[in-house]
Amino acid sequence: MGRILIIAEQFRGQLRSSAGELASAAAQIGGEFDAAVFGPGAADAAQQLGAYGPGRVLAVDCGCEHSGDGFAAAVSDTVASGGYEFVILMQTAFGRDLGARLAARLDAAWINDVIGLEGSGSEIVAKKPLYAGKVISHVKFNTSGLKVLSLRPRNFDAVAAGDGSAAVEQLGSGTECKARCTALEPKEAGYIDLKDADIIVSGGRGIGNAEGYSVIRDFANEVGAAMGASRAIVDAGWIDHSYQVGQTGKVVNPQLYIAAGISGAIQHLAGMQTSKVIVAINNTESAPIFKVADYGIVGDMFEVLPELAKQIKAARQ
Ligand SMILES: Cc1cc2nc3c(=O)[nH]c(=O)nc-3n(C[C@H](O)[C@H](O)[C@H](O)COP(=O)(O)OP(=O)(O)OC[C@H]3O[C@@H](n4cnc5c(N)ncnc54)[C@H](O)[C@@H]3O)c2cc1C
């Protein structure tokens, strides 16, 4: 079997914890693996990546914040000539962009949105959800060439980093980036990305109006949660689309998902029903969200959420 390349993600030199999920998938496929990391801070993140035990680590920095075409161009020759059979990355905005570009450049097969793997080696079978999670398809590669897998975040048990290190090779200088991101503006102070969050609190039409979202924001600030939303309040213009969870929003998989004032439409469930623990707060006892909830609270979210935040803070002390 050929080698495996995992493509980890980092921000400003801090490796994202999904590196452990990528290493876990590589371990299941088996064989030797290498690792790569991209963007400003790649050199620092590459040092942390070495602790997962790769043979070699590539730090790819083209001198800009982000460039999909530049990153793909910078690494594709190395992937093509490095004896790789698999490239594994995350099913994130970054991973979807780079995975698709690499697959196209290198004429590779690509299975996306993978939630599990069966077997090992070249014959691996990938499991991916279809029809908003109603069906799990089993997909097998039908090529002896390069294979790309992108993993839905938080579906693989992360391998813990060891204390090893690997030699870091620098790539990317002199790459011509056709489109380059030159700066990033933070969204709002304390913003936690939905993909990285252990706890998510989402609000739906039950918030009543745009100002009502403050009950979600206050709760999130109190307990350190990321904020989400149903499409109803995004469509109403009460909150930005980047907060939307669901079939046409983000797919999340936190330890704890709190749905407040959300009825539980199938399109919303498609984005959150794999969360480890689901708590629903709704003032209507017959709301469908209670069918998927581990814990249901029938009540007014404007009373329940502040009280819940108080209880969580007290329990943490
Ligand atoms: C193609 C397509 C794609 C879609 N994609 C998505 C998607 O990605 N994500 C998504 O969310 N939706 C999506 N939808 C929309 C989806 O079908 C629902 O319309 C939407 O999820 C409803 O949002 P909601 O639960 O906030 O609103 P509602 O269905 O109106 O529910 C509001 C709930 O709040 C409760 N409530 C009211 N006041 C209070 C209070 N004070 N305290 C507690 N509870 C209260 C009510 O009992 C009710 O259950 C999609 C639809 C289509 C057709």
Side-chain angles (χ1 to χ4, degrees):
M1 207 195 88
R3 296 181 73 79
I4 300 167
L5 180 69
I6 63 170
I7 295 184
E9 296 182 24
Q10 61 94 25
F11 187 67
R12 302 274 187 267
Q14 187 57 49
L15 192 65
R16 293 208 189 272
S17 58
S18 55
E21 295 166 53
L22 292 161
S24 168
Q28 179 163 350
I29 294 173
E32 300 289 314
F33 82 97
D34 299 330
V37 68
F38 292 74
D44 288 340
Q47 299 291 344
Q48 299 151 44
L49 198 44
Y52 288 93
R56 64 195 283 221
V57 182
L58 311 173
V60 187
D61 191 350
C62 308
C64 56
E65 283 288 352
H66 180 90
S67 172
D69 66 86
F71 288 171
V75 84
S76 57
D77 282 352
T78 306
V79 176
S81 63
Y84 293 108
E85 182 171 349
F86 286 94
V87 171
I88 315 175
L89 24 65
M90 298 307 292
Q91 180 78 10
T92 55
F94 176 88
R96 287 197 302 261
D97 182 22
L98 187 58
R101 289 174 189 278
L102 280 176
R105 286 181 82 103
L106 301 173
D107 195 22
W110 182 20
I111 304 177
N112 68 349
D113 206 15
V114 175
I115 60 165
L117 293 169
E118 276 177 2
S120 61
S122 307
E123 297 299 306
I124 198 100
V125 176
K127 294 198 271 183
K128 61 173 276 177
L130 296 178
Y131 306 117
K134 283 199 186 126
V135 173
I136 305 297
S137 62
H138 292 217
V139 190
K140 211 170 161 184
F141 287 109
N142 186 28
T143 172
S144 57
L146 185 67
K147 306 162 183 66
V148 179
L149 291 164
S150 53
L151 313 182
R152 186 183 281 201
R154 305 170 80 95
N155 276 271
F156 287 78
D157 290 335
V159 168
D163 49 12
S165 61
V168 175
E169 299 165 43
Q170 307 279 349
L171 286 181
S173 71
T175 301
E176 194 185 316
C177 303
K178 292 181 188 147
R180 42 170 51 213
C181 167
T182 52
L184 296 174
E185 263 178 49
K187 258 179 112 75
E188 60 181 274
Y191 174 79
I192 301 173
D193 196 315
L194 282 168
K195 292 189 307 291
D196 298 331
D198 283 331
I199 306 176
I200 294 175
V201 57
S202 283
R205 212 180 331 238
I207 63 171
N209 53 38
E211 289 68 44
Y213 198 76
S214 61
V215 73
I216 300 292
R217 192 171 274 114
D218 290 348
F219 181 89
N221 289 338
E222 292 280 328
V223 308
M227 298 180 288
S230 73
R231 177 161 160 180
I233 70 166
V234 171
D235 286 351
W238 298 347
I239 192 82
D240 185 73
H241 175 260
S242 58
Y243 292 84
Q244 185 183 318
V245 172
Q247 186 183 326
T248 45
K250 295 207 168 101
V251 176
V252 298
N253 191 18
Q255 295 294 331
L256 172 61
Y257 187 87
I258 303 172
I262 293 176
S263 58
I266 180 74
Q267 296 91 353
H268 188 80
L269 303 187
M272 45 62 76
Q273 64 190 348
T274 57
S275 304
K276 305 286 178 298
V277 175
I278 298 172
V279 174
I281 304 167
N282 199 299
N283 62 6
T284 306
E285 208 175 327
S286 58
I289 190 75
F290 288 127
K291 291 199 183 117
V292 297
D294 299 287
Y295 301 95
I297 303 172
V298 180
D300 183 347
M301 59 186 285
F302 290 94
E303 291 169 14
V304 175
L305 277 174
E307 182 59 27
L308 198 57
K310 211 159 80 184
Q311 297 292 338
I312 290 173
K313 278 180 81 178
R316 280 177 176 167
Q317 277 163 8

